[in-house]
Amino acid sequence: MDIIVVLFNRDLRTHDHPALAAACENARQVVPLFVLDPALPTGHREGFLAECLADLRRSLRGLGGELVIRRGDTVTETVRLARMLSARAVYTALDVSALARSRQRRLAAECDRNRTEFRGFPGVTIVAPDALRPSGGGDHYRVFTPYWRAWSAHPRRELSKVPGTVSVPELDAGSPPEPGHRPSALFEGGETAARERMRRWLKHGVADYADGHDDLAGNRTSRLSPYLHFGCLSPLELETGAAGGGDFVRQLCWRDFFHQVTAAFPRINRDDYRPRGHEWRADSGAAQAWKEGMTGVPIVDAGMRQLLAENWMHNRARMIVSSFLVRRLHVDWRVGADHFFELLLDADVANNYGNWQWMAGTGNNTRPNQTVNHLRQARRFDPDGDYVRRYVPELGSMPARTIHEPWRSPVAVAGYPRPLVSMD
Ligand SMILES: Cc1cc2nc3c(=O)[nH]c(=O)nc-3n(C[C@H](O)[C@H](O)[C@H](O)COP(=O)(O)OP(=O)(O)OC[C@H]3O[C@@H](n4cnc5c(N)ncnc54)[C@H](O)[C@@H]3O)c2cc1C
């Protein structure tokens, strides 16, 4: 039999899917597979994932194919299916986290034992994590600006076409996960919703990105991060569509940057990338107040409550709240990063922990002692206080003049705490 199994992970799409396109070209029959593995840290993302899988199944069925779903250990289930079908190969997109890489290694070894070909493909990032090496030596770029230069000059692969048909052998397709609770009403899972959002963004949003991306109250960033995380969108296709959108493309480069750091330093979610000997305070009360959006600093609380309400947070707010936790409360970056990881719909190991270490001064920041002035940031990026008013209703009637410093107001605000730390 001439069958190839395509294992889907963080690439839940049919457009620009190099592994799927190659399998359809190379074999008469193809089995698109997703394994619901208990080891996957899906957390609040389960409902979104279920929508992504349902949408992918619909798309594949539209091509004459199917999405086969199994439950259990990814390697065991993939190899079991490949053996049952006497498949000649397993194709998959390569990813960078420690979990993904150990799974890839195990899968490659098991395939080898069973005399099944194993092939890894690109598609999770724009430029493959191992494609660029600094001229001065080393296995990855530690600093962003030289990476950005090399990345911009690096030739791109061609976008892969959606296969004309996907021909699947007779087999039990398996039941999809329950749609369950969608964590955030703002994000509908799946490639169809992702492509519609990308289309609107490229037509109406990206041109304003340089001016608008730091406007906390405005909806002026793409909000494509959950779709990029689950691979409902190809980052390369997005970059191609945004050609000329310099500042926006630079953000996509940040994503690739942290992925190549993670590939080289897989313990990025646990160990300091650059140990600085910080002594963190074990203050669970302060950390709890921060998580609940009750620090008494409105701009911080607004960000943390946006996270609780939407499972997403504006990038500027992520910078403000993370720096507040590590620089003002002196709480370990791991506490904040793990909380983000649990709640964010777009949480991924590379971007989340890479950015947290950056803010904590233990990561790739060339100015590790750089601090954020929280009040100045609040006045600059939320000048009218609309972002705070939206997420901190206790302050709803405060004028722009005092909303960022309610402790200066002669009238106490009922139900809203005094700042945990002095803001002078
Ligand atoms: C402490 C902290 C934690 C973060 N955790 C995550 C995370 O878990 N997952 C995540 O995708 N992003 C994370 N980011 C980066 C950034 O905040 C989000 O990617 C962005 O807010 C998503 O919104 P958007 O899609 O509208 O972004 P846009 O501004 O429209 O940018 C487009 C895309 O570029 C990428 N991008 C933008 N900024 C960054 C960045 N600083 N680092 C890496 N990629 C970037 C994202 O994929 C994003 O979707 C974090 C940033 C900080 C400061």
Side-chain angles (χ1 to χ4, degrees):
M1 269 191 282
D2 186 26
I3 297 177
I4 294 178
V5 173
V6 178
L7 174 64
F8 283 73
N9 289 303
R10 237 156 45 87
D11 48 354
L12 302 177
R13 62 177 184 265
T14 54
H15 290 76
D16 188 38
H17 195 294
L20 178 66
C24 291
E25 236 175 70
N26 296 347
R28 221 164 44 76
Q29 294 190 305
V30 169
V31 179
L33 168 69
F34 187 87
V35 182
L36 288 160
D37 188 328
L40 278 181
T42 48
H44 279 257
R45 297 173 282 277
E46 261 171 28
F48 189 86
L49 174 65
E51 289 181 341
C52 293
L53 294 176
D55 185 68
L56 181 60
R57 186 172 253 190
R58 268 193 302 276
S59 301
L60 288 165
R61 285 180 179 172
L63 300 171
E66 181 57 274
L67 177 66
V68 174
I69 295 177
R70 294 288 182 263
R71 285 169 173 74
D73 171 65
T74 303
V75 174
T76 311
E77 292 305 316
T78 307
V79 171
R80 194 201 309 275
L81 189 68
R83 285 181 63 164
M84 186 191 94
L85 296 166
S86 307
R88 80 173 150 82
V90 172
Y91 288 2
T92 198
L94 297 176
D95 204 348
V96 296
S97 72
L99 178 66
R101 293 203 335 168
S102 99
R103 223 165 43 186
Q104 281 155 204
R105 273 195 299 272
R106 279 172 53 222
L107 185 56
E110 280 302 302
C111 283
D112 194 44
R113 242 167 37 89
N114 288 295
R115 297 205 174 76
T116 310
E117 183 196 356
F118 172 82
R119 265 178 75 180
F121 284 81
V124 169
T125 50
I126 295 173
V127 171
D130 57 359
L132 303 174
R133 291 282 178 263
S135 50
D139 61 353
H140 70 293
Y141 278 84
R142 293 171 173 272
V143 179
F144 178 74
T145 308
Y147 179 75
W148 162 242
R149 277 197 293 272
W151 183 89
S152 302
H154 190 71
R156 304 296 192 246
R157 66 173 171 82
E158 285 217 355
L159 290 174
S160 299
K161 293 205 173 61
V162 180
T165 53
V166 179
S167 170
V168 180
E170 274 296 311
L171 83 170
D172 168 22
S175 56
E178 289 297 315
H181 154 76
R182 181 195 290 171
S184 174
L186 297 172
F187 296 98
E188 177 189 355
E191 183 181 21
T192 307
R195 295 190 70 75
E196 176 51 24
R197 195 176 282 235
M198 173 170 75
R199 192 191 60 74
R200 276 188 277 119
W201 171 251
L202 294 177
K203 195 160 172 208
H204 305 293
V206 70
D208 169 57
Y209 187 78
D211 288 339
H213 70 277
D214 271 330
D215 173 5
L216 275 165
N219 184 6
R220 296 166 73 185
T221 65
S222 71
R223 295 196 181 216
L224 287 170
S225 51
Y227 301 106
L228 287 165
H229 169 69
F230 282 91
C232 305
L233 278 185
S234 143
L236 178 60
E237 188 182 357
L238 180 59
E239 185 206 22
T240 311
D247 289 48
F248 180 70
V249 169
R250 195 177 162 92
Q251 295 314 111
L252 298 177
C253 179
W254 273 108
R255 182 175 179 275
D256 275 18
F257 175 75
F258 283 125
H259 278 70
Q260 58 97 45
V261 171
T262 303
F265 185 68
R267 288 191 57 82
I268 191 164
N269 61 346
R270 296 279 49 100
D271 297 345
D272 288 355
Y273 176 83
R274 284 194 173 110
R276 305 250 179 223
H278 284 298
E279 291 206 4
W280 303 110
R281 265 175 57 204
D283 185 342
S284 57
Q288 191 55 30
W290 176 83
K291 288 180 186 174
E292 289 170 7
M294 289 298 275
T295 65
V297 180
I299 198 69
V300 174
D301 294 339
M304 295 310 294
R305 294 192 202 182
Q306 180 176 29
L307 176 63
L308 291 171
E310 298 176 6
N311 296 99
W312 187 87
M313 198 196 295
H314 192 286
N315 178 59
R316 179 56 56 181
R318 295 187 204 204
M319 293 168 78
I320 293 172
V321 304
S322 54
S323 113
F324 187 82
L325 186 78
V326 295
R327 305 282 182 180
R328 287 283 186 149
L329 301 180
H330 303 288
V331 170
D332 192 329
W333 60 265
R334 279 157 278 249
V335 173
D338 289 348
H339 180 68
F340 266 39
F341 197 79
E342 195 187 324
L343 289 184
L344 279 172
L345 207 47
D346 61 29
D348 68 49
V349 171
N351 287 354
N352 187 47
Y353 293 95
N355 274 290
W356 267 95
Q357 293 226 38
W358 175 283
M359 297 307 299
T362 56
N364 300 88
N365 196 337
T366 47
R367 289 188 290 162
N369 297 323
Q370 194 179 22
T371 53
V372 165
N373 182 320
H374 301 96
L375 290 181
R376 205 176 301 148
Q377 296 257 322
R379 289 191 215 103
R380 180 159 170 215
F381 300 117
D382 187 29
D384 302 321
D386 291 340
Y387 180 70
V388 166
R389 251 176 240 110
R390 189 180 307 152
Y391 296 105
V392 188
E394 302 96 293
L395 303 177
S397 57
M398 280 226 141
R401 207 167 17 86
T402 47
I403 193 162
H404 291 302
E405 299 166 87
W407 53 89
R408 293 199 197 284
S409 163
V411 194
V413 185
Y416 192 67
R418 304 268 315 155
L420 277 182
V421 283
S422 161
M423 293 304 288
D424 294 329

